[in-house]
């Protein structure tokens, strides 16, 4: 698999098959992903990778928490900026609509939509979670570095035949996530990442997620 194939075949997978993931494959991915770049080579990413009984413990705990605080509690950063607007807000809404449309969940079916969102807590059926965090004093450049590392991980997972879904929804309960993962107060929880093998037939894994044109985000200067 070349880089283009890895990029093109990666998508956020929201239904995984019941198939275990070999720890050796994850080790290979994480060893290689250490080559990700970061400003000043600070390598600001940290993670806990969880499976089996330990993942079941966290899943049960967060579901209990979500039942008592459905709108979140102890979030340590804004998942989206307040006042998100224009094309950013339109794109955010559009991907949600595309997913619910693929599943036949209408606007009126709020119970169905909530049930779909709640599948986040089951890692969409994936057997592995990668929970990420960094030091609280890290700023936007280091958060960007974390993103580079996450994308490197996601692409290398494709090379192993594995799939993923980054999940910042867990940050709705950031402080509690740190408690569950024994991460101290000097750190901030970032996101989870469900890892496993995709259910290739599932409608939720087959809807189109469009991108804006390059010309909408890049200005060319000085080219002939
Ligand atoms: C940092 C990060 C966090 C995300 N959090 C969630 C999440 O909590 N739940 C979810 O279903 N998708 C989540 N996504 C997936 C995005 O919705 C997805 O990347 C975007 O819609 C583009 O679609 P694609 O990844 O399938 O190309 C997240 C993606 C990123 C990069």
């Amino acid at each position: 698999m070349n880089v283009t194939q890895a990029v093109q075949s990666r998508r956020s997978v929201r239904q995984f098959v019941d198939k275990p993931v070999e720890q050796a494959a994850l080790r290979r991915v994480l060893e290689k992903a250490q080559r990700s770049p970061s400003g000043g080579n600070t390598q600001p990413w940290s993670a806990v990778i969880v499976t089996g009984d330990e993942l079941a413990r966290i899943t049960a705990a967060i579901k209990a928490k979500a039942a008592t605080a459905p709108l979140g509690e102890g979030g340590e950063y804004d998942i989206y900026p307040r006042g998100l607007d224009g094309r950013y807000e339109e794109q955010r809404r559009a991907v949600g609509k595309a997913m619910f449309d693929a599943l036949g969940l209408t606007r009126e079916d709020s119970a169905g939509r909530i049930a779909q969102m709640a599948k986040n807590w089951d890692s969409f059926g994936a057997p592995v979670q990668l929970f990420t965090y960094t030091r609280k004093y890290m700023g936007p450049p280091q958060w960007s570095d974390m993103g580079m590392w996450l994308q490197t991980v996601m692409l290398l997972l494709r090379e192993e035949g594995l799939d993923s879904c980054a999940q910042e929804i867990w940050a709705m309960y950031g402080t509690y996530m740190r408690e569950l993962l024994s991460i101290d107060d000097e750190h901030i929880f970032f996101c989870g990442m469900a890892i496993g093998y995709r259910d290739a037939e599932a409608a939720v894994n087959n809807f189109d997620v469009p991108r804006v044109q390059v010309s909408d985000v890049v200005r060319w200067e000085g080219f002939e």
Side-chain angles (χ1 to χ4, degrees), residues 5 7 19 38 50 61 67-68 76 80 94 101-102 107 129 149 172-173 189 199 202 211 222:
Q5 290 165 332
V7 170
K19 177 178 171 185
S38 55
V50 180
T68 57
E76 297 179 332
Y80 301 108
D101 283 354
R107 271 178 77 90
Q129 263 291 345
W149 173 75
M172 285 172 65
Y173 306 100
F189 177 84
D199 180 342
R211 301 299 201 262

Side-chain angles (χ1 to χ4, degrees), residues 10-12 14 95 120 124 165-169 190-191 209 211:
R10 187 214 59 80
R11 63 171 293 137
S12 293
R14 298 187 179 87
V95 71
N120 272 282
F124 303 114
C165 184
Q167 290 179 282
E168 54 204 353
I169 196 168
F190 177 24
C191 67
V209 185
R211 301 299 201 262

Side-chain angles (χ1 to χ4, degrees), residues 127-144:
V128 174
Q129 263 291 345
L130 179 78
F131 292 115
T132 68
Y133 61 101
T134 191
R135 284 288 294 271
K136 266 188 183 147
Y137 62 45
M138 296 297 183
Q142 291 75 41
W143 281 72
S144 159

Side-chain angles (χ1 to χ4, degrees), residues 185-213:
D185 202 37
E186 293 204 328
H187 292 87
I188 179 166
F189 177 84
F190 177 24
C191 67
M193 185 194 286
I195 299 174
Y197 294 93
R198 85 174 66 180
D199 180 342
E201 306 305 320
V204 77
N205 293 336
N206 286 292
F207 66 93
D208 187 35
V209 185
R211 301 299 201 262
V212 297
Q213 300 295 313

